[in-house]
Amino acid sequence: MPSKSDKDLIFMPNGGAPAESQAEEFLPTLDEMTPREIVAELDKYIVGQTAAKRAVAVALRNRVRRQKLPAEMAEDILPKNILMIGPTGVGKTEIARRLARLAGCPFVKVEASKYTEVGYVGRDVESMVRDLVETSIDMVREEKLDEVADRAEQAAEERVLDLLLPPPPPPAPGTPEAEAAAQRDQTQRSREKFRVQLREGKLDERMVDIEVRERQMPSFEIISNQGVEEMDVNLKDMLSGMFGQQKKKRKMTVADAFEYLIQEEEGKLLDMDQVTRIAVERAEQMGIIFIDEIDKVAGRESGHGPDVSREGVQRDILPIIEGTTVNTRYGMIRTDHILFIAAGAFHVTKPSDLIPELQGRLPIRVELQSLKEEDFVRILTEPKNALIKQYVALLETEGIKLNITDDAVEAIAKFATSVNEQTENIGARRLHTILEKLLDEISFEAPDLKKKTVKVDAAYVSKQLADIVKNQDLSRYIL
């Protein structure tokens, strides 16, 4: 998959924690989930913001409804794109990310501020659609690999056994059939013994010689007005057939050879044409693109010439949201039915500062509320991935039982609210910095602690954060 900027977030379902993905297997299918049930699932991870949850739940449900309509009518029903308005750290991105995971949709998060108007150096807005297709390709590839995993493992096992016990030469002419049959039975028994030992891991450290394919290809770099990252033709793939792929012998352990051969067999069994076809359709019909920091490009041109980073970017984003065709390495992609969720704080600008055409393409607007002290208490304790649960789990790996009392949680929430009021309001992200400061000593000393139960109460919180409370310049400690 092509490299992305560090600020881009590419999300693929089932890419999270194993425990979480296992739990999600028991959820009802998307077709069966009502908007109320979708909101209930979002409530497990996001505190408050009911209006935003309802908006995305209805948008998701409308996609299910559309799929049940006749093709002619379904083609004319376009998704109702959403504009989320609210300060940083209140859950805008998390709502979109959880929604995509719930629906099993290809999801891409991009930042509007990183794009530039066509004709200037920088990323082209069409790259967000290419990123979405790459994500969809990876999703479908993983699904298809799961389907062929068993067959690939069986084929790889047979190839490893061939390396460990090469097949015997054919019997010489004139050999009695009984003797030849006995020789085949003996070879088969030996092979089955090796198979048992291989499955038990007893042969993992044995060295074998295996043929591997060299993938070194001549390096090409073509400079175009779209940049190297936007090249639609992969020259290395195109020229691999011309130059061929050389093979060479390598010595490796049985365990490593088995893994290599599994990947090779999976590649043989995988139909990439089918993967591409399914992935492109999924990106077109179910894709979600989250455009963050849309407020950073809001604003009109000044009287001193065009503003490259603002109205020009809006004009370029507009056709993508309206519905256009984007050229990718996997073919032409229509954006008519991709759901766009735009978000921004709009501290300095207003949604009305966006160009009218773009405003019209974001008909659903929801305002997310700033977090209060009681919200911080809930964020610390209620969600499945609550921060306190994460720290408790991390320290359990060191044999430390961390007990954070209710009064300590309230003290942390009160302190976070105070800091947000006196400095920049960064919402729930403030809790990360406060907890890191609070538990810094415990985390550092954890491997050497003799006392395996550590209690964190309100008094401990006050003691650890005393230097910050006394100092008026809070930004020196928590940014």
Side-chain angles (χ1 to χ4, degrees), residues 151-195:
R151 285 187 291 160
E153 189 170 343
Q154 292 173 6
E157 185 179 77
E158 297 299 329
R159 291 179 63 181
V160 171
L161 290 174
D162 289 339
L163 294 172
L164 294 170
L165 188 68
T175 303
E177 181 59 29
E179 184 178 337
Q183 184 179 359
R184 287 195 298 269
D185 289 343
Q186 182 179 358
T187 302
Q188 188 62 30
R189 285 195 299 270
S190 300
R191 190 178 180 89
E192 291 305 317
K193 288 180 182 178
F194 273 92
R195 190 189 304 275

Side-chain angles (χ1 to χ4, degrees), residues 192-411:
E192 291 305 317
K193 288 180 182 178
F194 273 92
R195 190 189 304 275
V196 171
Q197 292 178 346
L198 177 64
R199 292 178 177 177
E200 293 176 349
K202 295 179 179 179
L203 304 176
D204 285 354
E205 299 304 319
R206 181 176 292 193
M207 304 299 293
V208 292
D209 290 325
I210 182 173
E211 277 192 345
V212 298
R213 294 178 179 177
E214 289 184 312
R215 297 199 175 188
Q216 295 180 355
M217 294 293 302
S219 296
F220 294 90
E221 184 171 310
I222 295 181
I223 306 300
S224 71
N225 60 342
Q226 292 183 321
V228 178
E229 66 170 351
E230 305 300 343
M231 289 298 295
D232 294 326
V233 179
N234 190 327
L235 287 177
K236 290 188 178 182
D237 290 346
M238 184 178 69
L239 296 175
S240 62
M242 186 186 303
F243 287 95
Q245 286 187 322
Q246 297 180 349
K247 290 186 177 182
K248 68 173 183 178
K249 288 274 189 178
R250 279 187 57 191
K251 188 177 288 290
M252 61 177 70
T253 63
V254 167
D256 292 339
F258 190 40
E259 290 298 323
Y260 176 82
L261 293 174
I262 288 177
Q263 294 179 12
E264 199 172 89
E265 291 297 327
E266 286 176 341
K268 293 178 182 177
L269 294 170
L270 200 62
D271 183 354
M272 280 307 297
D273 290 336
Q274 182 190 33
V275 168
T276 301
R277 185 171 62 254
I278 295 173
V280 166
E281 182 180 0
R282 187 177 298 184
E284 289 183 335
Q285 302 298 325
M286 297 296 291
I288 298 176
I289 295 181
F290 184 86
I291 307 176
D292 203 4
E293 296 186 0
I294 192 71
D295 57 317
K296 301 298 189 300
V297 298
R300 304 300 175 85
E301 292 179 354
S302 64
H304 304 290
D307 190 338
V308 177
S309 64
R310 294 196 175 191
E311 190 170 339
V313 177
Q314 293 182 60
R315 287 195 300 265
D316 289 345
I317 290 177
L318 179 62
I320 303 291
I321 297 182
E322 280 183 329
T324 187
T325 303
V326 177
N327 185 20
T328 74
R329 60 187 296 192
Y330 302 104
M332 306 301 286
I333 304 296
R334 292 179 57 197
T335 66
D336 301 70
H337 298 288
I338 295 174
L339 176 64
F340 291 88
I341 303 176
F346 290 99
H347 287 313
V348 179
T349 57
K350 305 183 294 296
S352 58
D353 290 331
L354 295 169
I355 59 176
E357 298 88 345
L358 190 56
Q359 292 180 48
R361 291 296 173 175
L362 299 168
I364 301 176
R365 298 186 184 180
V366 289
E367 188 168 352
L368 286 80
Q369 304 301 317
S370 297
L371 299 173
K372 301 177 182 177
E373 185 176 329
E374 54 268 27
D375 296 321
F376 286 138
V377 172
R378 294 179 60 195
I379 289 169
L380 287 168
T381 56
E382 287 185 12
K384 279 189 174 182
N385 59 343
L387 284 176
I388 286 181
K389 295 176 184 177
Q390 293 178 22
Y391 280 97
V392 169
L394 285 172
L395 289 173
E396 275 182 352
T397 62
E398 302 278 5
I400 305 297
K401 184 177 180 181
L402 182 65
N403 179 20
I404 300 181
T405 62
D406 292 341
D407 60 345
V409 172
E410 293 174 2

Side-chain angles (χ1 to χ4, degrees), residues 12-36:
M12 292 176 286
N14 301 327
E20 185 178 342
S21 61
Q22 290 172 5
E24 289 180 354
E25 291 177 2
F26 300 100
L27 292 175
T29 61
L30 180 62
D31 289 356
E32 299 170 353
M33 295 186 73
T34 64
R36 191 181 302 277

Side-chain angles (χ1 to χ4, degrees), residues 123-137:
R123 293 202 77 188
D124 179 10
V125 293
E126 291 186 350
S127 64
M128 68 174 73
V129 180
R130 296 188 181 100
D131 291 348
L132 182 72
V133 177
E134 292 288 351
T135 302
S136 186
I137 291 285

Side-chain angles (χ1 to χ4, degrees), residues 391 431-441 443:
Y391 280 97
L431 296 173
H432 289 272
T433 52
I434 291 177
L435 281 171
E436 281 295 325
K437 172 73 176 177
L438 179 65
L439 301 175
D440 176 71
E441 186 177 339
S443 296

